[in-house]
Amino acid sequence: MKRNTIWLAALLFLAAACQEKVTSNQQRVVTDAASLQVALDSAKAGDVITMANGVWKDVQIKFGGKGTEDAPITLQAETPGQVFIEGESDLKFGGEYLTVSGLYFRNGYTPSNAVIDFKFDKEQVANHCRITNTVIEGFNQMSRDRKDHWVEFWGRNNQMDHCYLAGKSNEGPTVRVEIKGRRNIKNFHQIVNNHFGPRPRKGGPKGETIQLGDSFSSMSPSNTTVANNLFEECNGEVEIISSKTNFNEFRNNVFYKSEGSLVTRHGNYCTIDGNYFIGDENSENIGGIRLINTGHVVTNNYFYNLKGKSFRSPLAVMNGIPKSPLNRYNQVTDVIVAYNTYVNCPSPWQFGVGTNISQKEVLPLSEIRSARPIRTVVANNLIYNEQGDTAPVVEHDKADGVTFASNFIQNQGVRFDERQGLTSTEMTLDKVGELLYKPTTASAVEAYQGFEFDQFKTDIFGNSRANDTSIGAMIKAPAAYPMILDKGQYGAGWFSNEKETKEPSMIDVHPEGTDLVDKLASAEAGDVIVLMPGTYTLTESLVINKAITIQSKDENQLAEIIYSGAAGTPAFQMNPKGELILSQVILSGTGTQQAFASLEQNMSSHYNLRVKGCEIKGFDYVLKAYKETFAEEISFANSTLRDCQNGIELSQETNDKGDYNVEFLTVEGCVFDNVKANVIDYYRGGYDESTIGGNLSVINSTFTQCGGKESNGILLNTRGIVNVNLEDNTFKNNSVKLVALLWGAKNNTHANNQISNSGKIVVQENLKLTLVY
């Protein structure tokens, strides 16, 4: 009997052991797309699937299944950062409690609408899923106008954390939260602890870093949290974050040298608390917070060294449109702006931003922004200026619906239009962290106690406001030095965007044979090609796909490049990421080619071109930019452009959606002689009031016998360009009706130009443009 009992116990033990083996969590290593999908399709709660290190090309990962809160299904890299997702690839979630970690998306683009998508389709969305410790870098469509999102949220309670995303250049927000349908509202998504690295200027709208919802779902609640992220040089467009839904929270983010603003574009009741907005001395496009709609609370934010104006001012409170449609501008009502600190921000408070009553002759009534902010309180804020500001408050329209209370300014004795609730006082400025300064009033001040102000319980550092009447974002310095720009706090733990700088190599090139072509191909980014005196004959385009300088050895004996390639081809073919400095070179064509041109297709990223001290002659086009191409900077300095059929042609974005071909075009100290058409042709179409570009500067240059074949009779075509400056130029014997037609309502200026037998410069206050929206 005892023996039987022992055998029975043994059998029971073995059965239990076998059952444990069958039901225990599985860990599998997969090495190709087929085995990966098999593993994902059969995964159970608690399973871990590991992708082997290496390049995974053209892989569409479809991750379904149901984990649990305690036992999620995990897809991970064998080594974080060593699983490279390339080619036409994407990742879709379609289950619950799924986690993906450690992937690196590069050298490719999504074949669908998103790189990472929290849905299989609109009926099968993800809930409680997470992407973490992952990088998406330069994963761009081949066409700038091909729209996608790098991360697209659907469902509820999903999270992106500790990721790095940078380099998106095509149309569409980097991250988009969709709330179409009840299964996607009240989603409580978390976008936290990420590093949003540089996003280059797009050259038009639709280049946000984060967009929460859209116009037509803007009355729905989203409840998304964006917190503890670093936004570094996110310059895609005027809106870094575009909040278009209700009840979103933006807390403790750092916006560093990012040319745009956090914008409550649509939707209501946002909380904007404890964020840092930090600019520099070089850009007037770095903004802060722009407010539209109802019920927002803006507290404990720090603004430092911001030079942005109007739409990009540190605090921009907009005018709305009476009875506005969903996709335009609702009136600002019932907003609180309290306990914020502004240090060295010229004209930090701007109200009635976007008012356009003066343009009613060219706009329909449905576009006129005349509804001023009402029931808005601005209280307990500090402004500190090292240089006095004559206009700390700018009223583009009357701010008569705004109550100011217990705001104080150190203005270094400079007089300004004082108003009740904004008072000059002496302050000291104490450094409390990297680029962080705390203004302290010399005497005690009384904080305003408005409705629900008792809910503002802490300052930007978490110090309690109980029994403390201090105003501004900071009550006292934190116990530890706050390293808000320590990149190690944000993004993927295995990745750094800090790159070592390499000393450029000086590469001597001689006219014989294919020396120039060969050495250019083998040169590394940043190198300098030095041309020995002589003549270089080229029959094929020089491909510029990296940063390179080409210059003559002897500025007194310039090297000459003669390009005799096929008609319609460029001497210098500008490719994605190509950056060329051409200095002290004679560049000659045979009448049918282009000196410089972008690719006609597949310009997946921007390029830059700088021409200095050169002579360019005998081309069909000096510069030809094709549609869906973009340069951040093009400049011609101290150069001669002569005997060409066409000059600088940047007018291919004719969809009138606010797009344009270059952000900054600068011509300084140049001579244009016998350039027959398109001398400078720079176009931005569409009435898109928030677009601030492009930017054209023509200074100290001479134009002679140019424009004779220009069909519209205008020498310098700048239609729709927002910022134009024509100064100290000479226009002589040009067969045109007008030198330029400038846009008076925008920042178009001219001064000290000498015009002889060349028409005139006309300023038209309002241009009638196609409505973008």
Side-chain angles (χ1 to χ4, degrees), residues 373-399:
I374 58 173
R375 300 192 303 274
T376 291
V377 176
V378 178
N380 302 341
N381 302 286
L382 289 180
I383 301 173
Y384 185 98
N385 295 317
E386 290 181 336
Q387 295 183 350
D389 185 355
T390 58
V393 180
V394 175
E395 294 182 74
H396 300 269
D397 199 350
K398 291 181 181 179

Side-chain angles (χ1 to χ4, degrees), residues 153 157-161 187-192 194 223-227:
F153 281 87
N157 298 293
N158 296 310
Q159 179 168 311
M160 180 177 76
D161 66 273
N187 52 65
F188 295 95
H189 296 317
Q190 300 280 312
I191 302 171
V192 295
N194 302 289
N223 303 92
T224 294
T225 295
V226 179

Side-chain angles (χ1 to χ4, degrees), residues 680-746:
I680 296 177
D681 194 357
Y682 187 12
Y683 182 88
R684 186 201 67 84
Y687 178 73
D688 173 34
E689 70 287 340
S690 61
T691 297
I692 66 158
N695 301 269
L696 171 64
S697 180
V698 182
I699 301 174
N700 194 31
S701 295
T702 300
F703 298 80
T704 306
Q705 295 182 336
C706 292
K709 293 187 176 180
E710 181 56 64
S711 59
N712 66 9
I714 302 176
L715 188 70
L716 308 181
N717 287 283
T718 65
R719 183 170 176 82
I721 302 302
V722 175
N723 303 293
V724 177
N725 180 35
L726 309 180
E727 187 174 356
D728 295 325
N729 301 293
T730 298
F731 301 93
K732 184 177 181 181
N733 296 332
N734 299 290
S735 300
V736 293
K737 296 178 182 178
L738 299 177
V739 168
L741 177 62
L742 301 182
W743 191 0
K746 297 296 183 180

